[in-house]
Amino acid sequence: MTQTLRNIIPIIKANWIGQNDVAVIDAISIDSRSLQNGENTLFFAISGPNNDGHSYIEELIEKGVKHFVVTHIPEKVSGKANFLVVENTLEALQKFASYYRSLFDFPIIGITGSNGKTIIKEWLNFLLSPDYNIIRSPKSYNSQVGVPLSILGINEKHNLGIFEAGISTMNEMEKLQKIIRPTIGILSNIGSAHDEGFPSVAEKIKEKLKLFTSVNVLILNKNKTINAFVNQKIKTFSWCSDDKSADVYITKKNTGDLTELQVTYKEDTFPIVIPFQDQASVENAIHCMMVMLYFGYNHKVIQTRMAQLYPVEMRLKVKNGIYNCTIIDDSYSSDFQSLKIALDFLEHQKQHKKKTLILSDIFQSGLNNEELYSQVSQLIISNKISRVIGIGETISQYKSKFINSVTFKNVVEFAQSFDRLNFENETILVKGARDFHFEEIVSMLEEKTHETVLEINLNAVSHNLNFFKSKLAPKTKMMVMVKAFGYGNGGFEIAKLLEHHKVDYLGVAFADEGISLKNAGITVPIMVMNPETTSFPAIIQHHLEPEIYSIKGLKAFLKIAEQKKLKNFPIHLKIDTGMHRLGFEEEHLAELISILKDNETVQIKSVLSHMATSDDLKHDAFAQSQIALFEKLSTQLLSALKIKPIRHILNTSGISNYPDAQYDMVRLGIGLYGISNDEEEQKYLENVGTLKSVISQIRTIDQGESVGYGRRFIAEKETKIATIPIGYADGIRRSWGNGLGYVVINNKPAKIVGSICMDMLMVDVTNIDCKEGNAVIVFGENPSVNHIAKQLNTIPYEILTGISQRVKRVFFRE
């Protein structure tokens, strides 16, 4: 994409204020944190409920960005850049994308529905790429922002587009239709996702169908409910398994792990075998086959390619690697647009100064190889990659374009040289096309642990953070608690994501937690909530900020600070308003003021307290008394010392239940991890952690035989037992066994039988179709942490923080 500002100004109806309207633009950005922003980037300062892009303009100018689309020019940056002033920056982005789409005239496939959009898109890309140069939405870029950014990736060499459109409420699809302008439509499965955003299912269907107002053909599963809403003027190409009047009639038969489809089309009947049995995958595959039929592919080509369909991995995963490395696994796709996204993710999640990229040949860029690898080289330079390992015949030819690089023709050559590549203390992005089998590279690099993993959904963390941010006044700051290994979810990775979201403070319980984060490169201010006096020197050394809660502690800290000749070192004062755990009480205030008056060794960054009953409105009177006492004592302190520090008293439940007590900052804890004690609020939070394992062994026992220690389970009939490699040493409470708890296998609950062992538990799978190696959900959506805690008469904190660190954490982003 190459445009000048002069061309863009009338398209987005902007008022230009600047010095150079002929400046060349070759990149569009909405992310201030991307290292790919440069002097030819046009930055759209989009304002949302939780962030305002205008806040980052000064920082971006310092990094070399010169061109901005804004609703207003912040006073500090007036005259320092080119500004295109519009009424709404998101609408401006959409207008520009719509204009850009109009410059190209080739088939565009638009996909919408509740489920399956990304899988259909990726499978179509696989099935059609031998014959077309395809541009498609990277990852799941299907939103009001994602769609325009996807469209702006088109170039002159592309001759087929495949784009997703996702909506969550009314009056959104019309905007996406104007941007995508599909010529071929696919309506995938209509399910319950985002039902809350629509008055009824009927309105939801009508809204989704707005994507197809101008298509040449709409491909869909023939269904009376859907057909009632389809405009009769739109040509449809339908399929069905129970209505022979559909254009394509399909019958299905399962054979082993495969599904055989008998396809009847234009009086011909032919078989297609696909390597899946689940209904969702079969439906997604049929939609793809329908596109191939519409494009006129012969039966043999369709049969051959459909048989090669594969599970789609839609997530970027962060894993622990060998020799203190961190692995970012994106080993199933290699295209230019998704490489940009993966490099941004690498920067957000890097745990080491050294960054390595393992990259395969890149396909379907729409560029010639010389131009493509020149642009890849620029991406790598802007993202400050330390070394590049290229794998593939083509990338090997362009090795000279990469600084500190080594290339191999294939994974076999790489494996032969593995030991001399010396992987150690680095973050490694593994980014390769599926044909290169980069999962073998990930396996070589990954730290070897047992098959139980806690998967952490970083998208859900971001969602939950933004949910609670939406409850805050615009100027209220946010501290997020990452103590206790991020409530069991992983400390650094969560902290890095929070830093990416520009939270104001992180909170840890003890100094060693904060030191680990600082050593790993976290730069957000970190408050140590429960510092021991022996840790004060280390706190000072690592620039942590201690909470001071007693006269004794204050004097001890001041003594060390004075010895080190510190000036204005940040500290935080804790007031006890009724929790009676830690903090200065009212009777201590005079002495506290006396000690701190005119003291320049320390600076009081905040004054805080902690509520004891914010989660239980039965104790509202007590909570209100705490807030009132905090107001009284903190005001007295601020007045006497003539200071204006941050004040904060609210925790997660306080944010929701006592919004009038936000003061200057709030402290978000377990809510970030998708846990609320309020059933209504819980509906709006997303599950963050899913504890998974596998079936190690299956056996059948006879009536009267027992399972586990103490023979606490005796079979009343012939019973099929599966053993799962997770036990109380991994954090599963023994009391969750003996028929109380369950795991989920193939979407069915399997009751835990007998006592949970140190490293294993056993479940009854008599009525479940499963085999050794199948995945097991220990907790996640079902059973939820809330449910387990309730059954065990405890709290969700104890379940989450109890998961042993020997359980591997895998972080992923959709």
Side-chain angles (χ1 to χ4, degrees), residues 1-3 8 24-30 36-44 65 67 96 149 152 340:
M1 186 201 79
T2 302
Q3 297 278 323
I8 295 171
V24 174
I25 301 298
D26 61 17
I28 300 296
S29 176
I30 63 164
Q36 295 158 32
N37 294 323
E39 64 179 356
N40 298 117
T41 296
L42 179 60
F43 182 83
F44 282 74
V65 179
H67 317 293
F96 181 56
L149 293 177
L152 291 167
K340 290 181 177 180

Side-chain angles (χ1 to χ4, degrees), residues 641-749:
L641 295 175
K642 295 182 173 58
I643 56 174
K644 289 185 178 180
I646 298 166
R647 290 194 286 177
H648 48 114
I649 189 172
L650 296 184
N651 54 5
T652 296
S653 50
I655 294 170
S656 299
N657 292 334
Y658 296 96
D660 293 338
Q662 288 180 15
Y663 285 96
D664 306 298
M665 186 163 73
V666 296
R667 301 188 300 272
L668 179 61
I670 201 165
L672 182 77
Y673 308 99
I675 305 293
S676 173
N677 67 316
D678 183 285
E679 290 183 7
E680 274 306 304
E681 185 171 81
Q682 186 66 55
K683 295 175 184 177
Y684 295 96
L685 300 179
E686 293 186 0
N687 179 65
V688 169
T690 301
L691 184 57
K692 291 183 174 182
S693 194
V694 296
I695 297 175
S696 296
Q697 189 174 34
I698 296 176
R699 70 182 74 247
T700 300
I701 63 173
D702 293 329
Q703 179 183 357
E705 290 192 290
S706 63
V707 173
Y709 288 116
R711 303 196 72 208
R712 290 185 175 87
F713 174 80
I714 307 291
E716 296 178 356
K717 59 182 180 181
E718 184 179 89
T719 305
K720 190 165 65 167
I721 299 294
T723 300
I724 319 298
I726 183 172
Y728 59 76
D730 300 294
I732 306 303
R733 299 270 291 273
R734 287 189 80 240
S735 50
W736 188 231
N738 294 309
L740 175 64
Y742 65 94
V743 300
V744 172
I745 300 172
N746 292 336
N747 297 315
K748 292 186 176 179

Side-chain angles (χ1 to χ4, degrees), residues 535-547:
S535 69
F536 286 159
I539 284 174
I540 292 168
Q541 179 186 345
H542 291 91
H543 305 288
L544 302 172
E545 302 183 15
E547 173 190 288

Side-chain angles (χ1 to χ4, degrees), residues 549-551 576 583-594:
Y549 49 81
S550 70
I551 296 295
D576 181 7
F584 296 99
E585 294 184 272
E586 186 169 8
E587 64 194 63
H588 302 134
L589 231 56
E591 186 177 0
L592 176 62
I593 292 167
S594 174

